[in-house]
Amino acid sequence: MPSTSAAEVSLDLVVRDLVVKAREGRELLSVERLDIPAGSRIGIRGPSGAGKSTLLFAIAGLLRPSSGTVAWGDQRISEMSPGDRARFRRENVGLVFQDFLLFEELSALGNAAIAARYASRSSRRAIIAAAGAGLERLGLKKLGGRRVESFSGGERQRVAMARALANDPGIILADEPTASLDRTSADRLIEDLSALSGGSGRTLIAVSHDAALHARMDRVIDVVDGRPLV
Ligand SMILES: Nc1ncnc2c1ncn2[C@@H]1O[C@H](COP(=O)(O)OP(=O)(O)OP(=O)(O)O)[C@@H](O)[C@H]1O
């Protein structure tokens, strides 16, 4: 797993007048102003249904806002086509999400190194090596060759984490990364996430209900009724 960030360009997050609406017109999220300097470790918390995941999806470029701007450095992802947003994510963002989105028929290593399939020949080898090192660090080396269909929730979460980091992303976005883990595994994951971001230039933004995670962040943002309290 990489220990320093590959963020070659500064990816400060700037959000302005962002509004996300449901298809039927209900407002799900409204963010007047949010600035997150590159390299920050940010926790996001709030009641169920408050809009935390919607905020994470918006800043990941996984949804197109109804209005407003989301920019990482000079990349205004809110105005990009879906294809350009997907490319931005592939190159810059590691996603650790609740339902893992693993390929059941692939091995742990096959999943962790999935980015190699889309990478240039020159970076393919580095991605596969980083995926293997990530699995080892997360205690899954022995299971590396096994198909993930038989994995437990905690094992899946660690495969997803190794995958998110294999591409050496400048931005890590995590949605409830400790939710399916026992306390010991959760603390280890928090330790890893924290070490991989703090001081490296790599930004971490994690939605969580876990107080132990928030205790390790530089700043915690509360989201209530679709609005971050900043
Ligand atoms: N595509 C959608 N269409 C309509 N409503 C949606 C859509 N996605 C989310 N919502 C609604 O938007 C609100 C915010 O949802 P979101 O998942 O962001 O909350 P959350 O704070 O992450 O909640 P939890 O902690 O339970 O995961 C909820 O009322 C949810 O039902």
Side-chain angles (χ1 to χ4, degrees), residues 22-24 26 28 46-54 98 176 209:
R23 217 162 267 169
E24 85 279 4
R26 184 166 65 100
L28 304 178
S48 179
K52 305 179 297 295
S53 299
T54 305
Q98 262 165 356
E176 297 286 0
H209 289 104

Side-chain angles (χ1 to χ4, degrees), residues 18-40:
L18 174 72
V19 175
V20 177
K21 289 184 178 167
R23 217 162 267 169
E24 85 279 4
R26 184 166 65 100
E27 190 174 288
L28 304 178
L29 181 71
S30 171
V31 185
E32 201 174 302
R33 184 189 180 92
L34 178 64
D35 292 282
I36 295 179
S40 313

Side-chain angles (χ1 to χ4, degrees), residues 17-215:
D17 302 316
L18 174 72
V19 175
V20 177
K21 289 184 178 167
R23 217 162 267 169
E24 85 279 4
R26 184 166 65 100
E27 190 174 288
L28 304 178
L29 181 71
S30 171
V31 185
E32 201 174 302
R33 184 189 180 92
L34 178 64
D35 292 282
I36 295 179
S40 313
R41 286 173 296 190
I42 306 292
I44 296 178
R45 71 183 168 201
S48 179
K52 305 179 297 295
S53 299
T54 305
L55 174 60
L56 207 61
F57 272 57
I59 63 182
L62 284 164
L63 59 79
R64 196 181 163 94
S66 312
S67 58
T69 309
V70 176
W72 290 97
D74 61 2
Q75 309 274 315
R76 290 164 80 102
I77 61 167
S78 46
E79 279 144 43
M80 288 179 185
S81 67
D84 285 346
R85 276 189 271 141
R87 183 152 43 85
F88 175 81
R89 276 200 307 279
R90 267 204 308 275
E91 290 171 0
N92 299 287
V93 183
L95 297 170
V96 185
F97 276 10
Q98 262 165 356
D99 56 4
F100 316 136
L101 304 170
L102 299 178
F103 294 94
E104 299 294 325
E105 72 286 4
L106 292 183
S107 68
L109 184 60
N111 271 285
I114 199 81
R117 296 185 179 216
Y118 312 103
S120 64
R121 186 185 281 240
S122 56
S123 48
R124 217 169 282 160
R125 199 186 288 255
I127 291 171
I128 293 168
L135 290 175
E136 182 167 4
R137 171 132 189 239
L138 295 166
L140 287 180
K141 191 179 177 204
K142 278 197 197 131
L143 300 183
R146 208 169 87 189
R147 285 150 71 114
V148 300
E149 60 195 2
S150 61
F151 279 27
S152 71
E155 287 163 349
R156 286 164 170 269
Q157 183 64 303
R158 283 180 280 156
V159 173
M161 167 115 170
R163 178 183 60 189
L165 296 169
N167 212 13
D168 199 12
I171 304 159
I172 302 171
L173 302 179
D175 198 356
E176 297 286 0
T178 62
S180 59
L181 305 183
D182 59 55
R183 194 65 254 165
T184 307
S185 308
D187 286 343
R188 211 168 67 189
L189 189 103
I190 292 167
E191 190 62 41
D192 281 333
L193 276 175
S194 171
L196 282 158
S197 39
S200 68
R202 186 181 286 126
T203 303
L204 167 66
I205 302 178
V207 168
S208 184
H209 289 104
D210 188 340
L213 183 145
H214 293 308

